[in-house]
Amino acid sequence: MKIEEVRSTTKAQRVAAHSHVKGLGLDDSGLAIDVAAGLVGQKAAREAAGIIVDLINSKRMAGRALLMAGPPGTGKTAIALAIAQELGNKVPFCPMVGSEVYSSEIKKTEVLMENFRRAIGLRIKEVKEIYEGEVTEITPVESENPMGGYGKTTTHVAVGLKTARGLKKLKLDPTIFESIQKEKVTVGDVIYIEANSGAVKRQGRCDNYATEFDLEAEEYVPLPKGDVHKKKEIVQDVTLHDLDVANAKPQGGQDILSIMSMLIKPKKTEITDKLRKEINKVVNKYIDQGIAELVPGVLFIDEVHMLDIECFTYLHRALESSIAPIVIFATNRGRCPIRGAEDIISPHGIPVDLLDRLMIIRTLPYSSAEMIQILKIRATVEGINIDEESLLALGEIGVKTTLRYAVQLLSPASLLAKVSGRTSVKKQDVEEICGLFRDAKSSAKLLLAQSDKYLK
């Protein structure tokens, strides 16, 4: 008799490169703690970032931007993400890379403006009649097809909602079930259903399930306290880009051919300045009436030296706009030519007139002790058991090569340990994995030494 292990059906959480970063890790006086909120070292950079957060909160950052400058793998992206975390979990954070602007479909400046609008949030407040609670069951109820035949149709959906005060079972229309599926609602999620429109909104996972380490940006919310059926002030967070797209969606003809062509090839429309100005008027009207509130987010542009002179000129003007997000640039280049004007050499490949607008934060390479601490945090996040001797070995590898390479070796070393029947990574696993893979520096040396064996 063959016994096989049944694979768990629980959702596996994806561990991102910066999923351990939860904030800047500063104390009450604004000084950096050695290891806190997922960040290690870079004390001067973190303290400078803390001052930037204070400037943003006191609304004194207008017309300026931030530049993170330092060698690769020194935590520039991590600190930018930590700034967004410090500003609040509802603050929009829009990351992009400089090369994204070179699209074949739309203009460079349009890509920049689109990302600018993605990074500006609008918080709209409305009082609505809703059903709210933690989902205890979602059961579609089927019956025989009234039109005859063998198939069955879904007549209604039974959804159980639980609050601290009680439990209510709702009988919902099948169209609302489609909305529930679209929102990817599962048992244990906290949702609300609007009584008038039937719109479904997933608020997050119930905090009764928040027992595991939060590897992703999964938001946990408390169990609602009042009745399931109630009137509540609903706060909806949208970005200005969402409003632009909703108002600029191309509407084709109503014949079958035009509908099919829309489905096969959805058109990427360039949103006009005229439409944006109209949306800004409506937004300003809502803000004046107290219905909505503007939430400037963070636009993070990595590898900013990839932008050209046209983009820099456009950014210079966009930063002066009354509706502008907090812009954070990052680069690992020193003095280099400005793209589009190769005869001009400038620091970080950015024009001097734009550099005058930037507050520059420098990041420094990590020490061996700091690398070991970062590796320990990453091992915890990825659920890898590793002993001190192995961490020291990986720290030495990080000093000789790069921190990124040392972090990449964690998962393969863990798999090697499992194959050998161990639950913890040992030094021998690290040494074996180093023999199997090569880092960039040793690979370059090998290519140079054996250049005659490769095609030119």
Side-chain angles (χ1 to χ4, degrees):
M1 181 177 158
K2 190 180 178 186
I3 299 172
E4 292 183 4
E5 189 181 333
V6 178
R7 191 178 291 273
S8 171
T9 55
T10 55
K11 191 177 90 171
Q13 297 274 29
R14 181 181 176 272
V15 184
H18 298 100
S19 55
H20 59 285
V21 177
K22 304 295 175 190
L24 286 168
L26 305 175
D27 61 17
D28 295 336
S29 57
L31 298 173
I33 303 162
D34 286 338
V35 181
L39 292 180
V40 178
Q42 302 293 354
K43 285 189 173 183
R46 283 158 61 196
E47 285 167 16
I51 292 167
I52 295 293
V53 170
D54 291 340
L55 279 171
I56 295 165
N57 287 332
S58 58
K59 294 181 170 56
R60 292 181 185 176
M61 194 69 184
R64 284 181 282 190
L66 180 65
L67 173 65
M68 309 288 302
T74 52
K76 297 184 292 295
T77 307
I79 292 171
L81 182 61
I83 289 170
Q85 298 270 23
E86 291 286 342
L87 292 170
N89 62 343
K90 291 287 183 184
V91 171
F93 179 71
C94 178
M96 67 171 286
V97 185
S99 56
E100 277 181 40
V101 301
Y102 303 105
S103 164
S104 60
E105 285 185 309
I106 52 177
K107 291 185 295 192
K108 292 177 281 191
T109 51
E110 176 62 24
V111 176
L112 283 172
M113 181 47 80
E114 190 176 294
N115 282 292
F116 257 72
R117 305 278 286 187
R118 278 184 208 276
I120 303 165
L122 192 69
R123 193 162 288 158
I124 304 161
K125 296 172 185 175
E126 291 177 279
V127 176
K128 290 184 177 178
E129 190 182 338
I130 61 160
Y131 293 91
E132 183 185 39
E134 180 200 331
V135 178
T136 56
E137 67 159 318
I138 304 170
T139 313
V141 178
E142 294 181 333
S143 65
E144 296 294 332
N145 193 336
M147 305 298 290
Y150 297 103
K152 287 188 175 183
T153 57
T154 304
T155 52
H156 66 273
V157 181
V159 174
L161 292 179
K162 182 177 79 173
T163 64
R165 193 173 282 185
L167 176 72
K168 186 169 269 194
K169 204 167 182 180
L170 305 178
K171 188 177 173 182
L172 304 176
D173 195 73
T175 52
I176 300 175
F177 181 52
E178 287 173 20
S179 302
I180 288 171
Q181 287 178 313
K182 202 178 281 183
E183 284 280 319
K184 295 178 181 173
V185 174
T186 56
V187 172
D189 291 346
V190 175
I191 66 165
Y192 70 78
I193 303 165
E194 290 179 19
N196 296 333
S197 64
V200 178
K201 174 73 178 170
R202 181 184 182 273
Q203 293 175 285
R205 195 90 178 132
C206 185
D207 59 6
N208 295 336
Y209 294 86
T211 51
E212 295 178 7
F213 195 88
D214 185 15
L215 305 183
E216 269 186 351
E218 177 68 81
E219 193 177 338
Y220 291 97
V221 292
L223 184 73
K225 289 180 181 176
D227 294 321
V228 172
H229 184 214
K230 57 189 153 192
K231 281 189 177 178
K232 188 181 177 183
E233 185 182 64
I234 302 296
V235 179
Q236 287 180 304
D237 288 292
V238 293
T239 65
L240 293 187
H241 177 67
D242 295 335
L243 297 177
D244 293 344
V245 171
N247 286 282
K249 219 167 192 177
Q251 297 294 327
Q254 295 303 307
D255 60 303
I256 295 293
L257 193 66
S258 64
I259 291 167
M260 287 300 290
S261 64
M262 278 172 67
L263 291 171
I264 294 162
K265 193 182 177 187
K267 191 183 174 188
K268 176 89 175 173
T269 52
E270 193 170 306
I271 298 151
T272 60
D273 278 340
K274 187 181 176 184
L275 177 69
R276 287 200 173 108
K277 280 174 185 172
E278 291 298 320
I279 289 166
N280 287 353
K281 277 183 192 174
V282 176
V283 166
N284 288 328
K285 186 181 167 187
Y286 281 160
I287 291 165
D288 292 341
Q289 290 172 353
I291 297 167
E293 177 194 351
L294 207 65
V295 185
V298 175
L299 172 61
F300 176 60
I301 305 177
D302 203 359
E303 308 291 342
V304 70
H305 54 267
M306 290 292 293
L307 299 179
D308 63 11
I309 194 82
E310 291 173 40
C311 295
F312 287 126
T313 311
Y314 186 78
L315 282 169
H316 206 282
R317 184 179 71 87
L319 286 171
E320 293 177 341
S321 168
S322 58
I323 300 178
I326 310 307
V327 183
I328 302 175
F329 300 122
T331 181
N332 52 29
R333 300 294 167 96
R335 288 181 63 80
C336 63
I338 298 169
R339 192 168 176 151
E342 274 70 18
D343 54 328
I344 304 171
I345 306 288
S346 180
H348 313 298
I350 301 170
V352 178
D353 56 343
L354 182 59
L355 274 172
D356 281 344
R357 284 189 174 275
L358 306 181
M359 297 180 79
I360 304 169
I361 294 178
R362 184 186 175 203
T363 56
L364 300 168
Y366 289 106
S367 67
S368 177
E370 287 170 346
M371 283 189 182
I372 290 165
Q373 196 63 52
I374 292 164
L375 286 161
K376 191 182 278 187
I377 291 168
R378 287 302 302 175
T380 307
V381 170
E382 294 183 28
I384 296 167
N385 291 324
I386 185 165
D387 60 17
E388 289 296 323
E389 194 182 14
S390 304
L391 280 172
L392 285 168
L394 278 172
E396 285 171 19
I397 292 163
V399 171
K400 288 176 190 170
T401 57
T402 62
L403 173 62
R404 284 175 180 167
Y405 177 69
V407 168
Q408 282 172 6
L409 292 180
L410 274 170
S411 293
S414 169
L415 285 172
L416 209 61
K418 278 182 186 174
V419 169
S420 306
R422 289 190 299 276
T423 55
S424 176
V425 175
K426 302 290 180 189
K427 189 180 177 182
Q428 65 201 66
D429 299 319
V430 174
E431 287 169 351
E432 192 177 339
I433 217 77
C434 279
L436 294 172
F437 296 100
R438 291 196 176 274
D439 64 284
K441 289 177 185 174
S442 65
S443 181
K445 278 181 188 174
L446 188 73
L447 286 171
L448 201 66
Q450 301 179 3
S451 57
D452 57 317
K453 294 181 181 177
Y454 294 91
L455 291 172
K456 290 181 181 177

